[in-house]
Amino acid sequence: AEPKPGPGAPPAPARLSKGAKKAANKAAKKEARQAGKAVAADSASETPAEAQAATMAISTDPPSGTRDFLPDEMRARNWLFGHMKEVARQFAFQEYDCPVLEHADLFKRKAGEEITAQMYNFTDKDGKEVTLRPEMTPSLARLVLSRGNALLLPIKWFSLPQCWRYEAIQRGRKREHYQWNMDIFGEPSISGEVELLAALITFFERVGLTAADVGIRINSRKVLSSVLEAQGISKDQFAAVCVIVDKLEKIGEEAVVAELEGKGVAPDVGRRIVRTLGIKSFGELEELLGDAAKEAIAELAQLFDLARSYGIGDWLVFDASVVRGLAYYTGVVFEGFDREGKLRAIVGGGRYDRLMTLFGAPKPVPACGFGFGDCVIMELLREKNLLPQMTQQTDFVVVPFDNDMRGPALQVTRALRQAGFSADLLLEPTKRVKSAFSYADRVGGRYVAFVAPDEWEKGLGGPQ
């Protein structure tokens, strides 16, 4: 006989007769058939595209031209950015940042600039035209302009933003990249450019590069203006011609001449412009342009004199072909390059005294700066075997002996971290020394702290 339930016990389940069981099973089968028909009907109503999407596996690759950074790659990136930030600190620059999403109009300055066609721009849900920033300088100009007279000039600021451009993917060029920017606002003299060049060279030296590996080409938009004026190029044509001439190294002389012809420049004039841009000395330039470029040449000569005083003269090269494709440059322009000529420009910058007036400033604000992407320099450092081996480093790996020692192991781990050490707690207790050391090797552990009962009871492992 079954025992009767005691006080407080749950009631016994109700017993079904054979007939009731049969009826219940029949109802359950009918319900299952109806559910099956509903699922089939839902499937039949799917479009082919929906059915395909439901069965397609998501791509494990990042979007074209973008990058994932695994821990090893993040260590290399942080190492690079650490040098950039330390150089900025040494030169007394302050860090700032701006939103990655910007007003599209901020970058639509001059027709013909490549950057305008390369923007990731769209209309947001408020109906505003916005873009992922393709560069940082206009955002900085907006920020400075918004503060008006509240900022005491000169200011020296730097940033390390992520920038986005929809452009052809090649070695050293992605559709997203990080860019080290250093800018000086409020300094009209050539001293600003010299300070920026010194910062760049200090960075190159910190990462192991020499003047035999890297050079910086120097020119002036004022020189280029004199060259173009001498060839009959009007001020209205100047910006568009600069954008085209900047492609000389990329597309070659004939293609540049053809594009200039499309802007109304006669082929023979286009060829003379290209030949003039091949000049490599101040003497040749003075002979060709005479007094027309006297002031610009004197400014460049002063820059090279100051650079020699700074001890960085060996890194600099005068090159009349350096133009920089952005229309807002007004004076000295420069471009870093690898001496072997395997890579595209490493860094570029110059003076842009009239940029603020494009955004509504009542008068020009003298300014200069550079943008230094992370992609090309990493390629160069790999090429020269200058990237250090960076593995995970952990001071202590804490190993609880068994489940009873979890609590004490947590105390030890917390005490180590509070003392400033990095401590990795083995989440699964183990008595196997070999397993503990194997894990410690994998995470770069310098020491293994076993938290075991006998030692704990003796006070050998507790926080002091």
Side-chain angles (χ1 to χ4, degrees), residues 83-128:
H83 282 298
M84 291 172 170
K85 289 187 174 186
E86 179 57 20
V87 169
R89 186 198 67 78
Q90 287 180 336
F91 280 71
F93 280 63
Q94 297 183 86
E95 188 169 11
Y96 73 97
D97 200 4
C98 295
V100 68
L101 191 68
E102 266 290 7
H103 308 294
D105 287 344
L106 201 61
F107 301 93
K108 295 178 180 177
R109 297 172 302 265
K110 296 283 186 181
E113 283 190 341
E114 282 187 339
I115 198 171
T116 304
Q118 294 169 350
M119 293 195 302
Y120 278 89
N121 57 312
F122 57 95
T123 303
D124 70 9
K125 293 180 181 179
D126 286 332
K128 302 291 196 313

Side-chain angles (χ1 to χ4, degrees), residues 11-16:
R15 294 178 178 276
L16 296 176

Side-chain angles (χ1 to χ4, degrees), residues 118-343:
Q118 294 169 350
M119 293 195 302
Y120 278 89
N121 57 312
F122 57 95
T123 303
D124 70 9
K125 293 180 181 179
D126 286 332
K128 302 291 196 313
E129 292 294 321
V130 294
T131 183
L132 298 180
R133 62 184 170 217
E135 57 162 330
M136 194 65 160
T137 307
S139 295
L140 173 58
R142 174 186 60 74
L143 181 59
V144 172
L145 189 61
S146 72
R147 295 302 179 268
N149 294 327
L151 288 175
L152 294 178
L153 301 179
I155 61 169
K156 299 197 294 183
W157 288 2
F158 84 97
S159 62
L160 260 169
Q162 188 179 34
C163 299
W164 296 81
R165 296 188 188 186
Y166 189 85
E167 56 183 344
I169 303 164
Q170 54 186 271
R171 186 185 182 193
R173 181 183 297 213
K174 308 292 183 185
R175 289 178 177 166
E176 57 79 22
H177 67 283
Y178 289 87
Q179 188 178 79
W180 178 31
N181 292 265
M182 290 181 68
D183 295 87
I184 302 173
F185 275 68
E187 176 51 57
S189 77
I190 202 73
S191 298
E193 287 92 329
V194 174
E195 194 73 354
L196 294 172
L197 292 168
L200 283 173
I201 291 163
T202 300
F203 167 81
F204 289 137
E205 291 172 337
R206 283 182 67 92
V207 298
L209 293 165
T210 69
D213 302 313
V214 173
I216 301 177
R217 298 187 182 105
I218 311 288
N219 193 20
S220 172
R221 276 291 179 91
K222 296 174 185 176
V223 168
L224 180 63
S225 177
S226 299
V227 169
L228 297 183
E229 283 179 19
Q231 301 302 328
I233 302 300
S234 68
K235 290 183 178 180
D236 291 338
Q237 293 174 299
F238 181 74
V241 169
C242 284
V243 172
I244 294 169
V245 170
D246 186 51
K247 304 176 187 177
L248 180 60
E249 190 172 340
K250 188 191 309 180
I251 66 176
E253 178 177 340
E254 290 305 315
V256 165
V257 171
E259 287 198 25
L260 288 173
E261 189 175 3
K263 295 294 182 182
V265 179
D268 59 324
V269 174
R271 289 191 179 87
R272 282 202 300 273
I273 290 172
V274 170
R275 283 196 295 273
T276 302
L277 296 181
I279 290 175
K280 304 295 183 185
S281 74
F282 293 153
E284 289 180 80
L285 203 59
E286 286 177 314
E287 186 177 335
L288 178 70
L289 299 174
D291 290 340
K294 186 175 181 181
E295 182 182 338
I297 293 171
E299 186 179 61
L300 286 172
Q302 184 186 12
L303 183 150
F304 278 84
D305 285 343
L306 291 173
R308 281 189 286 272
S309 298
Y310 230 141
I312 59 174
D314 291 346
W315 297 76
L316 308 186
V317 179
F318 170 70
D319 188 337
S321 69
V322 175
V323 176
R324 303 299 299 159
L326 297 173
Y328 56 66
Y329 286 118
T330 57
V332 168
V333 286
F334 53 86
E335 204 168 74
F337 67 100
D338 73 294
R339 299 274 189 182
E340 293 182 0
K342 295 181 179 179
L343 301 168

Side-chain angles (χ1 to χ4, degrees), residues 44-100:
S45 66
E46 284 183 340
T47 65
E50 288 172 335
Q52 183 181 12
T55 58
M56 280 176 57
I58 190 170
S59 172
T60 57
D61 294 326
S64 180
T66 66
R67 298 167 290 173
D68 293 320
F69 289 89
L70 295 170
D72 284 349
E73 295 161 325
M74 278 301 297
R75 280 190 282 274
R77 193 179 96 180
N78 290 337
W79 172 84
L80 181 75
F81 290 2
H83 282 298
M84 291 172 170
K85 289 187 174 186
E86 179 57 20
V87 169
R89 186 198 67 78
Q90 287 180 336
F91 280 71
F93 280 63
Q94 297 183 86
E95 188 169 11
Y96 73 97
D97 200 4
C98 295
V100 68

Side-chain angles (χ1 to χ4, degrees), residues 30-49:
K30 183 179 179 182
E31 186 178 345
R33 283 196 302 274
Q34 289 174 337
K37 287 178 182 177
V39 171
D42 288 343
S43 299
S45 66
E46 284 183 340
T47 65

